[in-house]
Amino acid sequence: MIQAPDLPAWAALIVAILLLSGSTMTLVGSLGLIRLKTFYERVHAPTLGATVGVGSIVLASMVCFTALESRFVLHEILILAFLTLTTPVTLISLARAALYRDRTARDDEVPREHPMD
Amino acid sequence: MTAILLGIAITVAQITLGLALACAAFRFVRGPRAQDRILGLDAFYVNAMLLLLTFGIQTSRTVYFEAALVISLLGFVGTVALAKFLMRGEVIE
């Protein structure tokens, strides 16, 4: 399905480069979900897609619509700002929940809350 | 010429994002524990939102942007609620 908007050449080049780099970064981050061994290593993997991937694809969309409508289209910044603010919160709460579950299950690989006891 | 190049780039980006969706879905289905499944779900909705943005670029419509915005809003609430459930549910057991 080859279908593309009718952009000027400079905008088409910028959009293509940003789209390819952003989707490649997202794929690398999602491959980390499969390749890494433990949960605490896997928590770090999707942050690559949530920062670099989202940033460059949102920038590509902004450049595309700015060139199409010949005015500044900035509302995609909403998605970028929201994801950059919320991704650390979700991953920290998820990691804290996993740590709590491992401690109550008396897993020896997880450090205890008071190591001096 | 540039339109064909841009079309190829958009299609390649969509295929790449589809592979990333498949990786996240693998972790979502086969996760050994509950927190792995929630992590896979979180990566899944971020990748689906990026795929919607590329569809928006391809068809040059703004409907896809609104769908992506709603997904990014509700996905955050869903993941935080599931993480809270992981902590509280263990207490009741």
Side-chain angles (χ1 to χ4, degrees):
Chain A
M1 188 171 63
I2 306 284
Q3 175 198 358
D6 197 12
L7 292 179
W10 59 273
L13 197 63
I14 292 176
V15 168
I17 290 174
L18 282 176
L19 271 182
L20 287 180
S21 60
S23 59
T24 311
M25 280 299 169
T26 313
L27 179 61
V28 169
S30 297
L31 272 179
L33 278 179
I34 291 184
R35 290 293 305 276
L36 295 177
K37 291 286 186 293
T38 67
F39 173 77
Y40 299 103
E41 294 170 358
R42 283 197 286 260
V43 167
H44 301 283
T47 55
L48 193 59
T51 52
V52 185
V54 170
S56 41
I57 290 182
V58 158
L59 264 183
S61 177
M62 278 166 58
V63 169
C64 173
F65 284 106
T66 299
L68 270 183
E69 303 183 8
S70 59
R71 64 183 174 90
F72 280 112
V73 178
L74 297 177
H75 54 220
E76 277 93 350
I77 280 190
L78 277 176
I79 291 181
L80 185 60
F82 198 76
L83 271 187
T84 351
L85 285 180
T86 57
T87 306
V89 179
T90 58
L91 291 186
I92 282 176
S93 63
L94 199 55
R96 282 177 71 106
L99 198 57
Y100 175 76
R101 278 163 69 92
D102 279 344
R103 276 180 185 150
T104 49
R106 310 243 173 228
D107 193 346
D108 287 334
E109 293 179 358
V110 176
R112 274 181 296 174
E113 197 162 4
H114 303 291
M116 301 307 284
D117 293 344
Chain B
M1 185 61 194
T2 53
I4 296 175
L5 271 182
L6 183 59
I8 291 174
I10 289 174
T11 310
V12 169
Q14 282 167 354
I15 291 172
T16 314
L17 285 175
L19 286 178
L21 267 180
C23 295
F26 174 81
R27 186 51 67 196
F28 176 53
V29 173
R30 293 280 304 274
R33 304 176 67 199
Q35 50 262 37
D36 291 304
R37 295 178 198 271
I38 298 177
L39 187 65
L41 185 67
D42 191 68
F44 190 83
Y45 86 76
V46 171
N47 293 348
M49 194 207 65
L50 291 181
L51 193 58
L52 275 183
L53 279 183
T54 61
F55 278 122
I57 293 177
Q58 191 179 30
T59 59
S60 62
R61 286 187 198 157
T62 53
V63 187
Y64 293 101
F65 159 73
E66 285 145 19
L69 188 60
V70 170
I71 288 179
S72 70
L73 285 171
L74 291 186
F76 163 67
V77 179
T79 312
V80 169
L82 283 172
K84 280 288 176 194
F85 174 72
L86 277 191
M87 294 189 83
R88 309 286 170 186
E90 198 74 27
V91 171
I92 295 174
E93 286 178 13

